[in-house]
Amino acid sequence: MTVFRPKYITFDCYGTLTNFQMAEKAREIYGARLEEPRMQGFIRNFAAYRLDEILGDWKPYDQVLRNAVERACKRNQVPFVEEEAAQFYRAVPTWGPHADVPEGLARVAREFPLVILSNAMDEQIMSNVEKLGAPFHKVLTAQQANAYKPRFQAFEYMFDTLGCAPEDILHVSSSFRYDLMSAHDLGITNKVWVNRRHEPENPYYGYTEIRDIRGLPGVVGL
């Protein structure tokens, strides 16, 4: 069987490669004020509001987080404090990769150009990328695209920047809602879902499932 060899392997960063620790940060800030059932509700609401905040016109990510925190606080009857909300944004560049990432990335980087398309600000992302343990051909952000995923504009910016078509890439993500649903609709036929267990499987969108990034070399025949 012929193995697809993409022109580029493109990645979501936060959650897929970088260990995205918004829930842990929320527990650190609000855990003493919320009993566990309410804490779980706050985390769910905070995640949902982050998605809702990026579906309209682009705004800086610190505003996305600030607004999502405020809305989650209101929903869960927690006093909103600007400084507490700002802690989330400052924490993002400090986060490192999932333990499986450096080994798997290093293997595929020897054969393929790697690209990140991330819902990030330029001032944040390189600190995370430097911790991933592999070279990247391009690191593209929502700030550059003037749009966040799952909006098509973010992906179209990537196609234009790389000078390639959807069928030329292999897109890797742990999220259907942010990446794989839009990738499917835009004609990216070669997709990998990294099952980090934060979303349920959805075979309709057509992908190869791997447990972690150590499984990626096998997808491309390495």
Side-chain angles (χ1 to χ4, degrees), residues 59-92:
K59 53 181 172 283
Y61 195 59
D62 59 340
Q63 294 181 25
V64 170
L65 291 178
R66 184 254 179 228
N67 293 350
V69 171
E70 183 178 35
R71 295 169 74 183
C73 284
K74 180 179 179 181
R75 177 82 173 268
N76 292 275
Q77 300 178 320
V78 177
F80 172 73
V81 179
E82 291 279 358
E83 171 54 27
E84 291 177 337
Q87 291 181 39
F88 289 93
Y89 184 78
R90 292 198 299 266
V92 173

PDB file of all heavy atoms in Angstrom, residues 59-92:
ATOM      1  N   LYS A  59      -9.153  39.293  17.693  1.00  0.00           N
ATOM      2  CA  LYS A  59      -8.701  40.192  18.754  1.00  0.00           C
ATOM      3  C   LYS A  59      -7.521  39.518  19.429  1.00  0.00           C
ATOM      4  O   LYS A  59      -7.376  38.288  19.349  1.00  0.00           O
ATOM      5  CB  LYS A  59      -9.819  40.492  19.752  1.00  0.00           C
ATOM      6  CG  LYS A  59     -10.517  39.295  20.362  1.00  0.00           C
ATOM      7  CD  LYS A  59     -11.608  39.754  21.320  1.00  0.00           C
ATOM      8  CE  LYS A  59     -12.477  38.610  21.823  1.00  0.00           C
ATOM      9  NZ  LYS A  59     -13.464  38.182  20.809  1.00  0.00           N
ATOM     10  N   PRO A  60      -6.659  40.277  20.090  1.00  0.00           N
ATOM     11  CA  PRO A  60      -5.487  39.674  20.718  1.00  0.00           C
ATOM     12  C   PRO A  60      -5.882  38.595  21.718  1.00  0.00           C
ATOM     13  O   PRO A  60      -6.934  38.660  22.355  1.00  0.00           O
ATOM     14  CB  PRO A  60      -4.801  40.859  21.405  1.00  0.00           C
ATOM     15  CG  PRO A  60      -5.258  42.059  20.632  1.00  0.00           C
ATOM     16  CD  PRO A  60      -6.665  41.750  20.219  1.00  0.00           C
ATOM     17  N   TYR A  61      -4.984  37.614  21.872  1.00  0.00           N
ATOM     18  CA  TYR A  61      -5.313  36.453  22.696  1.00  0.00           C
ATOM     19  C   TYR A  61      -5.448  36.807  24.173  1.00  0.00           C
ATOM     20  O   TYR A  61      -6.195  36.138  24.896  1.00  0.00           O
ATOM     21  CB  TYR A  61      -4.273  35.352  22.498  1.00  0.00           C
ATOM     22  CG  TYR A  61      -4.716  34.006  23.023  1.00  0.00           C
ATOM     23  CD1 TYR A  61      -5.877  33.397  22.543  1.00  0.00           C
ATOM     24  CD2 TYR A  61      -3.984  33.333  23.996  1.00  0.00           C
ATOM     25  CE1 TYR A  61      -6.299  32.169  23.012  1.00  0.00           C
ATOM     26  CE2 TYR A  61      -4.393  32.100  24.476  1.00  0.00           C
ATOM     27  CZ  TYR A  61      -5.543  31.521  23.987  1.00  0.00           C
ATOM     28  OH  TYR A  61      -5.957  30.302  24.463  1.00  0.00           O
ATOM     29  N   ASP A  62      -4.760  37.834  24.636  1.00  0.00           N
ATOM     30  CA  ASP A  62      -4.961  38.217  26.029  1.00  0.00           C
ATOM     31  C   ASP A  62      -6.394  38.677  26.267  1.00  0.00           C
ATOM     32  O   ASP A  62      -6.975  38.415  27.339  1.00  0.00           O
ATOM     33  CB  ASP A  62      -3.959  39.284  26.467  1.00  0.00           C
ATOM     34  CG  ASP A  62      -4.029  40.559  25.649  1.00  0.00           C
ATOM     35  OD1 ASP A  62      -4.554  40.548  24.525  1.00  0.00           O
ATOM     36  OD2 ASP A  62      -3.528  41.589  26.149  1.00  0.00           O
ATOM     37  N   GLN A  63      -7.013  39.314  25.258  1.00  0.00           N
ATOM     38  CA  GLN A  63      -8.416  39.706  25.378  1.00  0.00           C
ATOM     39  C   GLN A  63      -9.343  38.497  25.320  1.00  0.00           C
ATOM     40  O   GLN A  63     -10.361  38.457  26.015  1.00  0.00           O
ATOM     41  CB  GLN A  63      -8.774  40.708  24.288  1.00  0.00           C
ATOM     42  CG  GLN A  63      -8.058  42.042  24.404  1.00  0.00           C
ATOM     43  CD  GLN A  63      -8.463  43.014  23.317  1.00  0.00           C
ATOM     44  OE1 GLN A  63      -9.551  42.925  22.756  1.00  0.00           O
ATOM     45  NE2 GLN A  63      -7.566  43.945  23.007  1.00  0.00           N
ATOM     46  N   VAL A  64      -9.003  37.528  24.482  1.00  0.00           N
ATOM     47  CA  VAL A  64      -9.775  36.285  24.421  1.00  0.00           C
ATOM     48  C   VAL A  64      -9.838  35.637  25.800  1.00  0.00           C
ATOM     49  O   VAL A  64     -10.914  35.287  26.301  1.00  0.00           O
ATOM     50  CB  VAL A  64      -9.153  35.305  23.403  1.00  0.00           C
ATOM     51  CG1 VAL A  64      -9.792  33.917  23.515  1.00  0.00           C
ATOM     52  CG2 VAL A  64      -9.298  35.842  21.978  1.00  0.00           C
ATOM     53  N   LEU A  65      -8.673  35.483  26.418  1.00  0.00           N
ATOM     54  CA  LEU A  65      -8.630  34.835  27.729  1.00  0.00           C
ATOM     55  C   LEU A  65      -9.304  35.675  28.797  1.00  0.00           C
ATOM     56  O   LEU A  65     -10.059  35.155  29.629  1.00  0.00           O
ATOM     57  CB  LEU A  65      -7.180  34.548  28.118  1.00  0.00           C
ATOM     58  CG  LEU A  65      -6.478  33.467  27.304  1.00  0.00           C
ATOM     59  CD1 LEU A  65      -5.036  33.311  27.766  1.00  0.00           C
ATOM     60  CD2 LEU A  65      -7.210  32.136  27.400  1.00  0.00           C
ATOM     61  N   ARG A  66      -9.069  36.959  28.767  1.00  0.00           N
ATOM     62  CA  ARG A  66      -9.675  37.834  29.766  1.00  0.00           C
ATOM     63  C   ARG A  66     -11.196  37.751  29.712  1.00  0.00           C
ATOM     64  O   ARG A  66     -11.882  37.616  30.726  1.00  0.00           O
ATOM     65  CB  ARG A  66      -9.201  39.266  29.528  1.00  0.00           C
ATOM     66  CG  ARG A  66      -9.693  40.277  30.576  1.00  0.00           C
ATOM     67  CD  ARG A  66     -10.793  41.138  29.977  1.00  0.00           C
ATOM     68  NE  ARG A  66     -11.273  42.099  30.989  1.00  0.00           N
ATOM     69  CZ  ARG A  66     -12.541  42.309  31.250  1.00  0.00           C
ATOM     70  NH1 ARG A  66     -13.484  41.667  30.601  1.00  0.00           N
ATOM     71  NH2 ARG A  66     -12.895  43.182  32.166  1.00  0.00           N
ATOM     72  N   ASN A  67     -11.754  37.822  28.493  1.00  0.00           N
ATOM     73  CA  ASN A  67     -13.208  37.770  28.347  1.00  0.00           C
ATOM     74  C   ASN A  67     -13.767  36.413  28.750  1.00  0.00           C
ATOM     75  O   ASN A  67     -14.830  36.322  29.380  1.00  0.00           O
ATOM     76  CB  ASN A  67     -13.594  38.080  26.899  1.00  0.00           C
ATOM     77  CG  ASN A  67     -13.279  39.506  26.500  1.00  0.00           C
ATOM     78  OD1 ASN A  67     -12.937  40.345  27.340  1.00  0.00           O
ATOM     79  ND2 ASN A  67     -13.376  39.801  25.211  1.00  0.00           N
ATOM     80  N   ALA A  68     -13.048  35.338  28.376  1.00  0.00           N
ATOM     81  CA  ALA A  68     -13.521  33.994  28.713  1.00  0.00           C
ATOM     82  C   ALA A  68     -13.507  33.774  30.220  1.00  0.00           C
ATOM     83  O   ALA A  68     -14.423  33.158  30.777  1.00  0.00           O
ATOM     84  CB  ALA A  68     -12.665  32.948  28.007  1.00  0.00           C
ATOM     85  N   VAL A  69     -12.465  34.279  30.896  1.00  0.00           N
ATOM     86  CA  VAL A  69     -12.413  34.169  32.351  1.00  0.00           C
ATOM     87  C   VAL A  69     -13.563  34.947  32.984  1.00  0.00           C
ATOM     88  O   VAL A  69     -14.252  34.451  33.888  1.00  0.00           O
ATOM     89  CB  VAL A  69     -11.066  34.675  32.895  1.00  0.00           C
ATOM     90  CG1 VAL A  69     -11.100  34.777  34.418  1.00  0.00           C
ATOM     91  CG2 VAL A  69      -9.930  33.756  32.465  1.00  0.00           C
ATOM     92  N   GLU A  70     -13.799  36.150  32.503  1.00  0.00           N
ATOM     93  CA  GLU A  70     -14.883  36.960  33.072  1.00  0.00           C
ATOM     94  C   GLU A  70     -16.232  36.272  32.912  1.00  0.00           C
ATOM     95  O   GLU A  70     -17.050  36.241  33.856  1.00  0.00           O
ATOM     96  CB  GLU A  70     -14.912  38.328  32.420  1.00  0.00           C
ATOM     97  CG  GLU A  70     -15.969  39.254  33.019  1.00  0.00           C
ATOM     98  CD  GLU A  70     -15.968  40.642  32.411  1.00  0.00           C
ATOM     99  OE1 GLU A  70     -15.701  40.769  31.195  1.00  0.00           O
ATOM    100  OE2 GLU A  70     -16.229  41.614  33.148  1.00  0.00           O
ATOM    101  N   ARG A  71     -16.469  35.696  31.762  1.00  0.00           N
ATOM    102  CA  ARG A  71     -17.745  35.033  31.517  1.00  0.00           C
ATOM    103  C   ARG A  71     -17.889  33.777  32.381  1.00  0.00           C
ATOM    104  O   ARG A  71     -18.974  33.487  32.898  1.00  0.00           O
ATOM    105  CB  ARG A  71     -17.883  34.701  30.038  1.00  0.00           C
ATOM    106  CG  ARG A  71     -17.964  35.945  29.163  1.00  0.00           C
ATOM    107  CD  ARG A  71     -17.831  35.622  27.680  1.00  0.00           C
ATOM    108  NE  ARG A  71     -19.036  34.992  27.157  1.00  0.00           N
ATOM    109  CZ  ARG A  71     -19.132  34.572  25.891  1.00  0.00           C
ATOM    110  NH1 ARG A  71     -18.112  34.704  25.048  1.00  0.00           N
ATOM    111  NH2 ARG A  71     -20.262  34.011  25.472  1.00  0.00           N
ATOM    112  N   ALA A  72     -16.774  33.020  32.530  1.00  0.00           N
ATOM    113  CA  ALA A  72     -16.818  31.830  33.385  1.00  0.00           C
ATOM    114  C   ALA A  72     -17.035  32.205  34.847  1.00  0.00           C
ATOM    115  O   ALA A  72     -17.759  31.513  35.577  1.00  0.00           O
ATOM    116  CB  ALA A  72     -15.534  31.021  33.219  1.00  0.00           C
ATOM    117  N   CYS A  73     -16.425  33.295  35.276  1.00  0.00           N
ATOM    118  CA  CYS A  73     -16.636  33.764  36.651  1.00  0.00           C
ATOM    119  C   CYS A  73     -18.096  34.143  36.875  1.00  0.00           C
ATOM    120  O   CYS A  73     -18.708  33.767  37.897  1.00  0.00           O
ATOM    121  CB  CYS A  73     -15.724  34.950  36.943  1.00  0.00           C
ATOM    122  SG  CYS A  73     -13.989  34.513  37.224  1.00  0.00           S
ATOM    123  N   LYS A  74     -18.663  34.877  35.937  1.00  0.00           N
ATOM    124  CA  LYS A  74     -20.059  35.280  36.060  1.00  0.00           C
ATOM    125  C   LYS A  74     -20.980  34.061  36.108  1.00  0.00           C
ATOM    126  O   LYS A  74     -21.901  33.989  36.931  1.00  0.00           O
ATOM    127  CB  LYS A  74     -20.441  36.196  34.895  1.00  0.00           C
ATOM    128  CG  LYS A  74     -21.881  36.672  34.935  1.00  0.00           C
ATOM    129  CD  LYS A  74     -22.181  37.605  33.763  1.00  0.00           C
ATOM    130  CE  LYS A  74     -23.635  38.070  33.783  1.00  0.00           C
ATOM    131  NZ  LYS A  74     -23.928  38.963  32.626  1.00  0.00           N
ATOM    132  N   ARG A  75     -20.705  33.106  35.233  1.00  0.00           N
ATOM    133  CA  ARG A  75     -21.540  31.903  35.162  1.00  0.00           C
ATOM    134  C   ARG A  75     -21.483  31.115  36.472  1.00  0.00           C
ATOM    135  O   ARG A  75     -22.472  30.495  36.887  1.00  0.00           O
ATOM    136  CB  ARG A  75     -21.053  31.039  33.990  1.00  0.00           C
ATOM    137  CG  ARG A  75     -21.765  29.714  33.805  1.00  0.00           C
ATOM    138  CD  ARG A  75     -23.074  29.854  33.047  1.00  0.00           C
ATOM    139  NE  ARG A  75     -23.637  28.563  32.743  1.00  0.00           N
ATOM    140  CZ  ARG A  75     -23.428  27.868  31.615  1.00  0.00           C
ATOM    141  NH1 ARG A  75     -22.649  28.371  30.671  1.00  0.00           N
ATOM    142  NH2 ARG A  75     -23.995  26.705  31.421  1.00  0.00           N
ATOM    143  N   ASN A  76     -20.332  31.136  37.114  1.00  0.00           N
ATOM    144  CA  ASN A  76     -20.124  30.308  38.301  1.00  0.00           C
ATOM    145  C   ASN A  76     -20.101  31.111  39.601  1.00  0.00           C
ATOM    146  O   ASN A  76     -19.713  30.607  40.639  1.00  0.00           O
ATOM    147  CB  ASN A  76     -18.833  29.506  38.148  1.00  0.00           C
ATOM    148  CG  ASN A  76     -18.939  28.466  37.059  1.00  0.00           C
ATOM    149  OD1 ASN A  76     -19.423  27.367  37.286  1.00  0.00           O
ATOM    150  ND2 ASN A  76     -18.494  28.817  35.858  1.00  0.00           N
ATOM    151  N   GLN A  77     -20.512  32.375  39.502  1.00  0.00           N
ATOM    152  CA  GLN A  77     -20.662  33.241  40.682  1.00  0.00           C
ATOM    153  C   GLN A  77     -19.354  33.359  41.471  1.00  0.00           C
ATOM    154  O   GLN A  77     -19.325  33.234  42.692  1.00  0.00           O
ATOM    155  CB  GLN A  77     -21.803  32.733  41.568  1.00  0.00           C
ATOM    156  CG  GLN A  77     -23.149  32.703  40.854  1.00  0.00           C
ATOM    157  CD  GLN A  77     -24.269  32.161  41.709  1.00  0.00           C
ATOM    158  OE1 GLN A  77     -24.103  31.207  42.453  1.00  0.00           O
ATOM    159  NE2 GLN A  77     -25.437  32.791  41.604  1.00  0.00           N
ATOM    160  N   VAL A  78     -18.285  33.619  40.718  1.00  0.00           N
ATOM    161  CA  VAL A  78     -16.971  33.853  41.310  1.00  0.00           C
ATOM    162  C   VAL A  78     -16.592  35.302  41.010  1.00  0.00           C
ATOM    163  O   VAL A  78     -16.729  35.753  39.865  1.00  0.00           O
ATOM    164  CB  VAL A  78     -15.914  32.907  40.699  1.00  0.00           C
ATOM    165  CG1 VAL A  78     -14.533  33.203  41.267  1.00  0.00           C
ATOM    166  CG2 VAL A  78     -16.292  31.453  40.943  1.00  0.00           C
ATOM    167  N   PRO A  79     -16.111  36.069  41.982  1.00  0.00           N
ATOM    168  CA  PRO A  79     -15.690  37.437  41.695  1.00  0.00           C
ATOM    169  C   PRO A  79     -14.600  37.462  40.617  1.00  0.00           C
ATOM    170  O   PRO A  79     -13.654  36.671  40.658  1.00  0.00           O
ATOM    171  CB  PRO A  79     -15.152  37.936  43.037  1.00  0.00           C
ATOM    172  CG  PRO A  79     -15.840  37.088  44.054  1.00  0.00           C
ATOM    173  CD  PRO A  79     -16.011  35.746  43.425  1.00  0.00           C
ATOM    174  N   PHE A  80     -14.755  38.357  39.648  1.00  0.00           N
ATOM    175  CA  PHE A  80     -13.776  38.493  38.575  1.00  0.00           C
ATOM    176  C   PHE A  80     -12.727  39.520  38.972  1.00  0.00           C
ATOM    177  O   PHE A  80     -13.055  40.637  39.369  1.00  0.00           O
ATOM    178  CB  PHE A  80     -14.459  38.926  37.278  1.00  0.00           C
ATOM    179  CG  PHE A  80     -13.498  39.273  36.183  1.00  0.00           C
ATOM    180  CD1 PHE A  80     -12.791  38.280  35.535  1.00  0.00           C
ATOM    181  CD2 PHE A  80     -13.285  40.603  35.815  1.00  0.00           C
ATOM    182  CE1 PHE A  80     -11.886  38.598  34.518  1.00  0.00           C
ATOM    183  CE2 PHE A  80     -12.393  40.927  34.813  1.00  0.00           C
ATOM    184  CZ  PHE A  80     -11.687  39.919  34.165  1.00  0.00           C
ATOM    185  N   VAL A  81     -11.452  39.128  38.838  1.00  0.00           N
ATOM    186  CA  VAL A  81     -10.330  39.999  39.170  1.00  0.00           C
ATOM    187  C   VAL A  81      -9.413  40.056  37.951  1.00  0.00           C
ATOM    188  O   VAL A  81      -8.945  39.024  37.465  1.00  0.00           O
ATOM    189  CB  VAL A  81      -9.553  39.469  40.390  1.00  0.00           C
ATOM    190  CG1 VAL A  81      -8.363  40.369  40.702  1.00  0.00           C
ATOM    191  CG2 VAL A  81     -10.476  39.337  41.603  1.00  0.00           C
ATOM    192  N   GLU A  82      -9.147  41.249  37.440  1.00  0.00           N
ATOM    193  CA  GLU A  82      -8.341  41.407  36.229  1.00  0.00           C
ATOM    194  C   GLU A  82      -6.974  40.725  36.351  1.00  0.00           C
ATOM    195  O   GLU A  82      -6.518  40.057  35.419  1.00  0.00           O
ATOM    196  CB  GLU A  82      -8.141  42.894  35.923  1.00  0.00           C
ATOM    197  CG  GLU A  82      -9.394  43.638  35.488  1.00  0.00           C
ATOM    198  CD  GLU A  82      -9.731  43.438  34.012  1.00  0.00           C
ATOM    199  OE1 GLU A  82      -8.969  42.756  33.298  1.00  0.00           O
ATOM    200  OE2 GLU A  82     -10.782  43.963  33.590  1.00  0.00           O
ATOM    201  N   GLU A  83      -6.312  40.897  37.472  1.00  0.00           N
ATOM    202  CA  GLU A  83      -4.981  40.321  37.640  1.00  0.00           C
ATOM    203  C   GLU A  83      -5.013  38.797  37.588  1.00  0.00           C
ATOM    204  O   GLU A  83      -4.105  38.164  37.037  1.00  0.00           O
ATOM    205  CB  GLU A  83      -4.355  40.799  38.949  1.00  0.00           C
ATOM    206  CG  GLU A  83      -3.057  40.098  39.332  1.00  0.00           C
ATOM    207  CD  GLU A  83      -1.990  40.130  38.260  1.00  0.00           C
ATOM    208  OE1 GLU A  83      -1.980  41.075  37.422  1.00  0.00           O
ATOM    209  OE2 GLU A  83      -1.145  39.208  38.249  1.00  0.00           O
ATOM    210  N   GLU A  84      -6.053  38.201  38.131  1.00  0.00           N
ATOM    211  CA  GLU A  84      -6.168  36.741  38.049  1.00  0.00           C
ATOM    212  C   GLU A  84      -6.360  36.297  36.610  1.00  0.00           C
ATOM    213  O   GLU A  84      -5.755  35.305  36.171  1.00  0.00           O
ATOM    214  CB  GLU A  84      -7.317  36.257  38.928  1.00  0.00           C
ATOM    215  CG  GLU A  84      -7.041  36.410  40.413  1.00  0.00           C
ATOM    216  CD  GLU A  84      -8.195  35.991  41.295  1.00  0.00           C
ATOM    217  OE1 GLU A  84      -9.353  35.987  40.808  1.00  0.00           O
ATOM    218  OE2 GLU A  84      -7.938  35.676  42.473  1.00  0.00           O
ATOM    219  N   ALA A  85      -7.162  37.023  35.858  1.00  0.00           N
ATOM    220  CA  ALA A  85      -7.351  36.682  34.445  1.00  0.00           C
ATOM    221  C   ALA A  85      -6.053  36.807  33.667  1.00  0.00           C
ATOM    222  O   ALA A  85      -5.747  35.983  32.791  1.00  0.00           O
ATOM    223  CB  ALA A  85      -8.431  37.575  33.835  1.00  0.00           C
ATOM    224  N   ALA A  86      -5.252  37.814  33.982  1.00  0.00           N
ATOM    225  CA  ALA A  86      -3.997  38.035  33.266  1.00  0.00           C
ATOM    226  C   ALA A  86      -3.000  36.912  33.497  1.00  0.00           C
ATOM    227  O   ALA A  86      -2.107  36.684  32.670  1.00  0.00           O
ATOM    228  CB  ALA A  86      -3.394  39.373  33.689  1.00  0.00           C
ATOM    229  N   GLN A  87      -3.136  36.200  34.598  1.00  0.00           N
ATOM    230  CA  GLN A  87      -2.195  35.113  34.893  1.00  0.00           C
ATOM    231  C   GLN A  87      -2.251  34.003  33.843  1.00  0.00           C
ATOM    232  O   GLN A  87      -1.236  33.354  33.571  1.00  0.00           O
ATOM    233  CB  GLN A  87      -2.485  34.539  36.276  1.00  0.00           C
ATOM    234  CG  GLN A  87      -2.158  35.471  37.421  1.00  0.00           C
ATOM    235  CD  GLN A  87      -2.450  34.837  38.760  1.00  0.00           C
ATOM    236  OE1 GLN A  87      -2.211  33.641  38.975  1.00  0.00           O
ATOM    237  NE2 GLN A  87      -2.995  35.617  39.689  1.00  0.00           N
ATOM    238  N   PHE A  88      -3.413  33.780  33.248  1.00  0.00           N
ATOM    239  CA  PHE A  88      -3.536  32.732  32.235  1.00  0.00           C
ATOM    240  C   PHE A  88      -2.663  33.049  31.023  1.00  0.00           C
ATOM    241  O   PHE A  88      -1.943  32.181  30.513  1.00  0.00           O
ATOM    242  CB  PHE A  88      -4.999  32.568  31.809  1.00  0.00           C
ATOM    243  CG  PHE A  88      -5.872  31.941  32.845  1.00  0.00           C
ATOM    244  CD1 PHE A  88      -6.581  32.714  33.752  1.00  0.00           C
ATOM    245  CD2 PHE A  88      -5.990  30.561  32.934  1.00  0.00           C
ATOM    246  CE1 PHE A  88      -7.392  32.130  34.719  1.00  0.00           C
ATOM    247  CE2 PHE A  88      -6.793  29.960  33.902  1.00  0.00           C
ATOM    248  CZ  PHE A  88      -7.493  30.753  34.792  1.00  0.00           C
ATOM    249  N   TYR A  89      -2.730  34.274  30.567  1.00  0.00           N
ATOM    250  CA  TYR A  89      -1.954  34.664  29.381  1.00  0.00           C
ATOM    251  C   TYR A  89      -0.458  34.560  29.658  1.00  0.00           C
ATOM    252  O   TYR A  89       0.312  34.066  28.823  1.00  0.00           O
ATOM    253  CB  TYR A  89      -2.328  36.084  28.962  1.00  0.00           C
ATOM    254  CG  TYR A  89      -1.657  36.543  27.683  1.00  0.00           C
ATOM    255  CD1 TYR A  89      -2.129  36.112  26.451  1.00  0.00           C
ATOM    256  CD2 TYR A  89      -0.567  37.401  27.713  1.00  0.00           C
ATOM    257  CE1 TYR A  89      -1.530  36.529  25.268  1.00  0.00           C
ATOM    258  CE2 TYR A  89       0.045  37.821  26.543  1.00  0.00           C
ATOM    259  CZ  TYR A  89      -0.444  37.382  25.322  1.00  0.00           C
ATOM    260  OH  TYR A  89       0.166  37.787  24.154  1.00  0.00           O
ATOM    261  N   ARG A  90      -0.039  35.014  30.831  1.00  0.00           N
ATOM    262  CA  ARG A  90       1.383  34.976  31.162  1.00  0.00           C
ATOM    263  C   ARG A  90       1.898  33.542  31.320  1.00  0.00           C
ATOM    264  O   ARG A  90       3.085  33.273  31.107  1.00  0.00           O
ATOM    265  CB  ARG A  90       1.637  35.764  32.454  1.00  0.00           C
ATOM    266  CG  ARG A  90       1.421  37.262  32.311  1.00  0.00           C
ATOM    267  CD  ARG A  90       2.097  38.011  33.448  1.00  0.00           C
ATOM    268  NE  ARG A  90       1.573  37.646  34.751  1.00  0.00           N
ATOM    269  CZ  ARG A  90       0.602  38.308  35.384  1.00  0.00           C
ATOM    270  NH1 ARG A  90       0.023  39.364  34.803  1.00  0.00           N
ATOM    271  NH2 ARG A  90       0.194  37.926  36.583  1.00  0.00           N
ATOM    272  N   ALA A  91       1.009  32.617  31.665  1.00  0.00           N
ATOM    273  CA  ALA A  91       1.433  31.234  31.876  1.00  0.00           C
ATOM    274  C   ALA A  91       1.721  30.497  30.575  1.00  0.00           C
ATOM    275  O   ALA A  91       2.568  29.594  30.537  1.00  0.00           O
ATOM    276  CB  ALA A  91       0.366  30.476  32.663  1.00  0.00           C
ATOM    277  N   VAL A  92       1.028  30.859  29.498  1.00  0.00           N
ATOM    278  CA  VAL A  92       1.094  30.074  28.263  1.00  0.00           C
ATOM    279  C   VAL A  92       2.528  29.845  27.767  1.00  0.00           C
ATOM    280  O   VAL A  92       2.903  28.700  27.458  1.00  0.00           O
ATOM    281  CB  VAL A  92       0.220  30.713  27.163  1.00  0.00           C
ATOM    282  CG1 VAL A  92       0.427  30.005  25.825  1.00  0.00           C
ATOM    283  CG2 VAL A  92      -1.258  30.661  27.550  1.00  0.00           C
TER     284      VAL A  92
END
